[in-house]
Amino acid sequence: MPHEVRGVVARSKGAQVAIETVVVPDPGPGEALVQVQSCGVCHTDLHYREGGINDEFPFLLGHEAAGVVEAVGEGVTDVAPGDFVILNWRAVCGQCRACLRGRPWYCFATHNAAQKMTLTDGTELSPALGIGAFAEKTLVHAGQCTKVNPAASPAAAGLLGCGVMAGLGAAINTGGVTRGDSVAVFGCGGVGDAAIAGARLAGAAKIIAVDIDDRKLEWARGFGATDTVNSRETDPVEAIRELTGGHGADVVVEAIGRPETYEQAFYARDLAGTVVLVGVPTPDMKIELPLLEVFGRGGSLKSSWYGDCLPSRDFPMLVDLYLQGRLDLDGFVSETIGLDEVEEAFGKMERGEVLRSVVNL
Ligand code: APR
Ligand code: ZN
Ligand code: ZN
């Protein structure tokens, strides 16, 4: 029996989102039906609404979520009804070249649910990032569900499904921040602050936050920034060098996605330092770098995709660290809202008023 639930749908390019009745099928082989408890509002949802990702409208938005498995389809053994899970974008195949070489986060044969959720007139919905969790229930591939400790609040746990994982993972998994490192983070939105929290967790000795907004810099201190630089007032590269004894940072994370900050990030690294690019550029963006700068300074330039995370390894661990009081996930939740407030939350996000608005269901 299909389930009729309320969900936030983007009907056409640029149109405001609205609550619609969504028809969710019972799980087929390999699928899971999840009762969504919480879902964060992320920039990517807005990009979908604006047609910036693809034009497969209508979209069922929402992809940063936690909930409880209600039912599973044939052959599903890793999760069971009643499990508290965090949803991830795509189940990895385990068999492609990337998976076999131990880099499943680059898997090229990932899975989402095979069945489609629809509107009541039968129109098929495209779930954002293969999830579609601004809805009371959603249908995913069972491999998109990772069981975590149910003592965590759904709002906190859900954030690990996208933005917070992207930032934390950029520092820890991609950047390899380790005890005693100096770390600089450009951009202190949810992603940058998560990189700061990750750097603190990994034992960084100095964490320099760079932003153009003093309020953001203040929040960054709460997540572990030891120094802050307002790059509207101060040249951030010089400031970072000064704060690191003239050297530059061991690991620099760019969490904005602009050519000028990509460039600054590059110059802010120490000899053999690592630059991690998390901010998503637009297709037309370019930067120019003197090759001697690349060669002479050594080190590496890496991009970080979903924090190079392995959900089955990282989600349960990070939830445990949260429950031990060592990772402040609650600090990212600026407000909790209802499904009908997502459009308003987009505005607050664009104006930089919130780190995360989280829909509680
Ligand atoms: N210099 C320094 N900071 C800047 C600049 C700049 N030129 N321009 C913007 N910022 C700051 C903003 O003030 C804001 O605090 O960068 C931060 C960006 O944060 P958000 O807009 O909240 O974005 P967030 O959700 O953190 O995502 C950051 O990572 O995953 C990607 O797609 C995502 O590209 C985006 C980036
Ligand atoms: Zn997201
Ligand atoms: Zn694979």
Side-chain angles (χ1 to χ4, degrees):
M1 268 279 287
H3 309 251
E4 292 203 349
V5 301
R6 297 188 325 138
V8 177
V9 173
R11 283 260 186 183
S12 60
K13 191 169 174 150
Q16 296 214 338
V17 299
I19 298 212
E20 310 252 3
T21 300
V22 174
V23 182
V24 185
D26 266 328
E31 294 174 341
L33 175 70
V34 177
Q35 217 182 325
V36 181
Q37 293 181 311
S38 170
C39 184
V41 179
C42 172
H43 279 88
T44 304
D45 294 306
L46 185 56
H47 292 164
Y48 271 109
R49 193 203 69 172
E50 289 169 344
I53 298 196
N54 62 50
D55 56 5
E56 292 160 17
F57 287 95
F59 293 108
L60 175 59
L61 299 181
H63 61 273
E64 195 175 81
V68 174
V69 175
E70 182 172 315
V72 296
E74 202 189 306
V76 174
T77 51
D78 287 349
V79 287
D83 284 351
F84 179 57
V85 295
I86 298 176
L87 301 181
N88 70 69
W89 303 348
R90 355 172 268 169
V92 299
C93 80
Q95 281 157 22
C96 72
R97 187 165 176 272
C99 283
L100 292 175
R101 301 190 81 206
R103 297 176 195 140
W105 45 89
Y106 289 118
C107 172
F108 10 86
T110 54
H111 303 291
N112 295 121
Q115 297 184 87
K116 291 285 183 188
M117 293 181 274
T118 64
L119 295 171
T120 46
D121 66 2
T123 308
E124 290 188 352
L125 289 163
S126 307
L129 288 172
I131 294 179
F134 286 146
E136 291 155 334
K137 295 179 188 187
T138 191
L139 182 75
V140 293
H141 188 285
Q144 290 179 262
C145 299
T146 305
K147 194 176 165 178
V148 297
N149 190 328
S153 80
L159 296 182
L160 290 170
C162 186
V164 171
M165 188 66 243
L168 263 165
I172 298 179
N173 294 336
T174 317
V177 173
T178 187
R179 192 177 62 232
D181 275 355
S182 56
V183 177
V185 177
F186 284 79
C188 303
V191 175
D193 281 345
I196 290 169
R200 171 159 74 179
L201 205 53
K206 194 174 272 295
I207 305 173
I208 306 164
V210 181
D211 205 289
I212 47 176
D213 181 343
D214 283 328
R215 184 177 42 175
K216 292 295 179 68
L217 291 171
E218 198 185 307
W219 294 347
R221 282 193 183 270
F223 290 101
T226 57
D227 300 88
T228 56
V229 177
N230 185 324
S231 55
R232 251 201 232 291
E233 297 158 2
T234 312
D235 176 344
V237 176
E238 272 176 31
I240 290 164
R241 291 233 174 112
E242 226 165 85
L243 286 162
T244 52
H247 299 296
D250 295 308
V251 180
V252 183
V253 178
E254 201 280 0
I256 304 164
R258 302 179 62 87
E260 60 273 25
T261 47
Y262 261 57
E263 221 167 288
Q264 288 164 347
F266 205 78
Y267 285 104
R269 82 188 193 288
D270 190 8
L271 283 174
T274 303
V275 181
V276 183
L277 308 174
V278 197
V280 181
T282 56
D284 55 304
M285 285 181 184
K286 290 193 172 79
I287 59 167
E288 217 172 277
L289 288 168
L291 275 177
L292 194 57
E293 170 65 27
V294 183
F295 178 80
R297 207 166 269 276
S300 60
L301 174 63
K302 295 174 156 187
S303 69
S304 186
W305 183 241
Y306 207 173
D308 282 340
C309 80
L310 194 51
S312 56
R313 174 194 67 193
D314 295 333
F315 291 174
M317 168 191 69
L318 293 168
V319 165
D320 287 348
L321 291 171
Y322 160 73
L323 289 170
Q324 293 161 12
R326 294 158 74 189
L327 171 63
D328 175 19
L329 293 175
D330 295 321
F332 290 96
V333 183
S334 307
E335 58 167 1
T336 52
I337 59 173
L339 269 183
D340 53 344
E341 293 168 281
V342 169
E343 188 63 50
E344 264 175 273
F346 283 151
K348 290 180 198 165
M349 185 174 73
E350 282 191 298
R351 293 190 297 274
E353 293 167 11
V354 290
L355 280 180
R356 271 297 188 264
S357 303
V358 175
V359 174
N360 270 345
L361 289 134

